[in-house]
Amino acid sequence: MEFDISDMRSSGMITILKILGINLLFIIVVLALINYYVTPYLNLFSNLQSGIKKAYKGDFTHQFVSKVGGDARNVVEQMNSLFRKMQETFGDIKYNLATFIPQGCISSNDPLYEAKTIISELSDIYKFKKTIELDGSKDEVYGRIIDILKLKYHVGHFAFFEVNNVTTERKLIYTTEEKPMCFEKTNKNALECRAFRTGSVTISTEFPNLCKACLGTNDNYVCIPFTINHDISLTVSMTSEKIEEVELMKKNISSIRHYLEAAKPVIESQILMERLRDTSLRDGMTGLYNRRFLEEIIDKIMSHANRQKETYAVLMLDVDFFKMVNDTYGHDIGDKVIVALAKVLKNSIREADLAIRYGGEEFVVLLGNATDEGVMQVAAKIHSEFAKLSFDVGTGEPLKKTISIGIAKFPTDGDTIWKCIKYADTALYEAKNSGRNKIVEFKPEMFKSGEEF
């Protein structure tokens, strides 16, 4: 049998097409609904993501937009409000902090992390400053700076100098090295140091043989100069054989200078206090230390002498018939005589010895570890040099004066330096009673019965 299915085939095709058409229409409707309802949310999420990416970089200027209403719109408004506040609070924090710490000292692409690091640095510097403000001396402050270099920046090799800007003399405060980093002449004339002379950081990797004061070792160096005031400057010289360590030193230059800047007013204050103290312990006319200084230092001298088994010779001296000078020619001439004697003392003793104006025309000299012969040579030199002086008193004939000197020795004559000062005064009294203008050494028999000190 044969069937004609042409009509059925046509009917089936039409049915299939209708089904496809209905499905396509459904898909279109679904897509339209998705586009209408879902796409705004997708755009919102994309917009949120863009804003968060900018915020991560420290940019809170992003404006969130959305066509979605209801709770989603409230979220958008709240995010915009939050970002405005974040911009006001954190947006410019990097530049505000740069007022205290210059930009670029912290290397990071994240400004919030950079701000956090800078704030941490400022906190450390603040703690450092509060600590040194309670330190009792300039040397203690220097010790804190040295600790910062060693403990915070882990500098293995460095030297720390104090420079007198007036005399250009440089004093080594601390060094990690047994051998000096610079030629000895640099300590006598700090202008030989390129960093001090130019007032700028000197880095050896910038040019071959950059600083001629360097001893020419294989070490690389970074030298940081810092001016405290008109009189004093500091220099930090860091060295290393490794280039990578030098690069780390270079990164730390700004941070190290921040600590020096924090220490500056404290060091200035300590310098001023030292000057005031030194002024109170010195005689204004002669520049010599005064009796108050002797009273403060004598116990320290005694302790050191006992520990080190050192000896001292005490010279007590004054000008013969000095009252007559003031009475006859006036106190101006008397002052000239006192100043001249002080100069003779300064020029006759070693730097380690002490010359003290004890009162009026009376002076004390302490000679450390001098031989008996040496003591007499110094006393004779003082005696003869002063006798050579002449003073114009306006009468045509110059005034010439002499001195008397008494000598006692520690521990030979007395078991304390104070006793030896008393014994030297006794010897001086003997010199005056026996004719003046002479040098007399102490003898026990100079005491009258019951007068022993």
Side-chain angles (χ1 to χ4, degrees), residues 83-242:
F83 267 49
R84 280 195 300 271
K85 292 179 180 179
M86 294 285 282
Q87 177 63 28
E88 292 173 1
T89 305
F90 297 110
D92 298 324
I93 194 169
K94 173 181 176 181
Y95 306 102
N96 292 333
L97 288 174
T99 304
F100 305 97
I101 297 182
Q103 299 179 42
C105 64
I106 308 295
S107 179
S108 173
N109 292 324
D110 184 351
L112 291 181
Y113 172 79
E114 185 172 335
K116 176 184 175 183
T117 305
I118 293 175
I119 290 172
S120 178
E121 178 82 352
L122 287 174
S123 176
D124 289 344
I125 292 174
Y126 175 79
K127 293 175 184 176
F128 168 77
K129 186 171 182 179
K130 296 301 291 183
T131 299
I132 63 176
E133 283 175 351
L134 299 178
D135 285 338
S137 68
K138 181 181 65 177
D139 290 338
E140 284 189 60
V141 178
Y142 286 166
R144 305 286 185 188
I145 296 173
I146 292 165
D147 287 341
I148 290 293
L149 292 171
K150 291 194 293 186
L151 303 178
K152 180 179 177 67
Y153 298 105
H154 305 291
V155 182
H157 307 278
F158 69 93
F160 183 58
F161 299 94
E162 180 187 85
V163 184
N164 187 313
N165 296 335
V166 179
T167 64
T168 71
E169 292 182 356
R170 190 176 76 170
K171 181 174 69 172
L172 178 65
I173 303 299
Y174 177 86
T175 182
T176 58
E177 308 301 297
E178 294 183 2
K179 297 181 180 179
M181 297 179 180
C182 306
F183 289 110
E184 180 62 28
K185 63 180 181 179
T186 311
N187 293 333
K188 297 179 180 178
N189 180 15
L191 292 174
E192 296 285 342
C193 171
R194 181 182 180 86
F196 173 74
R197 186 179 70 254
T198 62
S200 60
V201 178
T202 300
I203 305 173
S204 61
T205 55
E206 293 182 346
F207 197 84
N209 300 318
L210 185 59
C211 182
K212 301 301 182 182
C214 180
L215 283 175
T217 64
N218 295 325
D219 288 348
N220 296 292
Y221 50 84
V222 175
C223 295
I224 305 174
F226 189 84
T227 301
I228 298 298
N229 56 24
H230 178 268
D231 299 321
I232 297 294
S233 290
L234 305 176
T235 304
V236 178
S237 297
M238 303 177 287
T239 64
S240 177
E241 296 179 355
K242 300 177 181 178

Side-chain angles (χ1 to χ4, degrees), residues 416-453:
T416 70
I417 295 179
W418 275 123
K419 283 186 178 180
C420 290
I421 291 174
K422 173 63 177 178
Y423 296 162
D425 189 45
T426 299
L428 174 62
Y429 182 79
E430 180 69 20
K432 288 184 171 294
N433 280 347
S434 60
R436 291 182 170 83
N437 189 24
K438 61 176 63 177
I439 302 169
V440 175
E441 293 188 80
F442 171 75
K443 303 293 182 184
E445 55 267 24
M446 291 178 181
F447 280 121
K448 295 179 182 178
S449 178
E451 285 189 352
E452 186 172 351
F453 180 68

Side-chain angles (χ1 to χ4, degrees), residues 168-447:
T168 71
E169 292 182 356
R170 190 176 76 170
K171 181 174 69 172
L172 178 65
I173 303 299
Y174 177 86
T175 182
T176 58
E177 308 301 297
E178 294 183 2
K179 297 181 180 179
M181 297 179 180
C182 306
F183 289 110
E184 180 62 28
K185 63 180 181 179
T186 311
N187 293 333
K188 297 179 180 178
N189 180 15
L191 292 174
E192 296 285 342
C193 171
R194 181 182 180 86
F196 173 74
R197 186 179 70 254
T198 62
S200 60
V201 178
T202 300
I203 305 173
S204 61
T205 55
E206 293 182 346
F207 197 84
N209 300 318
L210 185 59
C211 182
K212 301 301 182 182
C214 180
L215 283 175
T217 64
N218 295 325
D219 288 348
N220 296 292
Y221 50 84
V222 175
C223 295
I224 305 174
F226 189 84
T227 301
I228 298 298
N229 56 24
H230 178 268
D231 299 321
I232 297 294
S233 290
L234 305 176
T235 304
V236 178
S237 297
M238 303 177 287
T239 64
S240 177
E241 296 179 355
K242 300 177 181 178
I243 296 296
E244 55 269 25
E245 288 187 2
V246 174
E247 293 301 315
L248 180 60
M249 292 176 190
K250 289 166 63 176
K251 291 181 180 179
N252 289 332
I253 289 173
S254 294
S255 185
I256 291 172
R257 289 182 66 88
H258 300 151
Y259 278 93
L260 295 175
E261 191 68 45
K264 178 178 178 178
V266 180
I267 295 174
E268 283 186 296
S269 176
Q270 293 290 358
I271 291 172
L272 178 59
M273 292 300 294
E274 285 182 2
R275 286 179 178 171
L276 291 175
R277 177 174 174 78
D278 190 61
T279 299
S280 70
L281 298 177
R282 284 188 183 274
D283 173 56
M285 182 191 301
T286 64
L288 298 181
Y289 285 115
N290 57 25
R291 183 167 181 165
R292 179 182 172 186
F293 171 81
L294 180 63
E295 291 170 348
E296 288 194 10
I297 201 69
I298 197 73
D299 290 336
K300 295 179 181 178
I301 293 177
M302 273 291 305
S303 297
H304 186 268
N306 288 329
R307 286 196 308 270
Q308 303 298 324
K309 305 300 180 183
E310 293 181 345
T311 63
Y312 278 90
V314 179
L315 279 61
M316 179 76 78
L317 54 103
D318 71 2
V319 181
D320 296 328
F321 300 110
F322 181 73
K323 185 176 183 300
M324 184 184 67
V325 176
N326 285 332
D327 292 344
T328 305
Y329 305 106
H331 288 277
D332 289 345
I333 299 300
D335 290 346
K336 289 182 180 180
V337 173
I338 294 298
V339 171
L341 177 53
K343 289 182 179 178
V344 169
L345 296 180
K346 291 177 185 177
N347 295 332
S348 301
I349 64 176
R350 300 165 299 184
E351 187 175 349
D353 298 327
L354 284 175
I356 297 161
R357 187 179 181 189
Y358 201 63
E361 76 278 16
E362 202 168 38
F363 294 80
V364 170
V365 176
L366 295 180
L367 305 177
N369 290 327
T371 63
D372 291 347
E373 182 181 358
V375 172
M376 289 306 298
Q377 287 178 349
V378 171
K381 181 178 180 181
I382 294 171
H383 185 266
S384 62
E385 290 298 318
F386 183 75
K388 294 177 183 177
L389 301 178
S390 59
F391 303 91
D392 183 6
V393 294
T395 61
E397 184 176 347
L399 172 69
K400 299 180 75 67
K401 295 299 295 179
T402 60
I403 58 175
S404 297
I405 303 175
I407 301 174
K409 298 166 187 174
F410 167 82
T412 306
D413 295 323
D415 56 3
T416 70
I417 295 179
W418 275 123
K419 283 186 178 180
C420 290
I421 291 174
K422 173 63 177 178
Y423 296 162
D425 189 45
T426 299
L428 174 62
Y429 182 79
E430 180 69 20
K432 288 184 171 294
N433 280 347
S434 60
R436 291 182 170 83
N437 189 24
K438 61 176 63 177
I439 302 169
V440 175
E441 293 188 80
F442 171 75
K443 303 293 182 184
E445 55 267 24
M446 291 178 181
F447 280 121

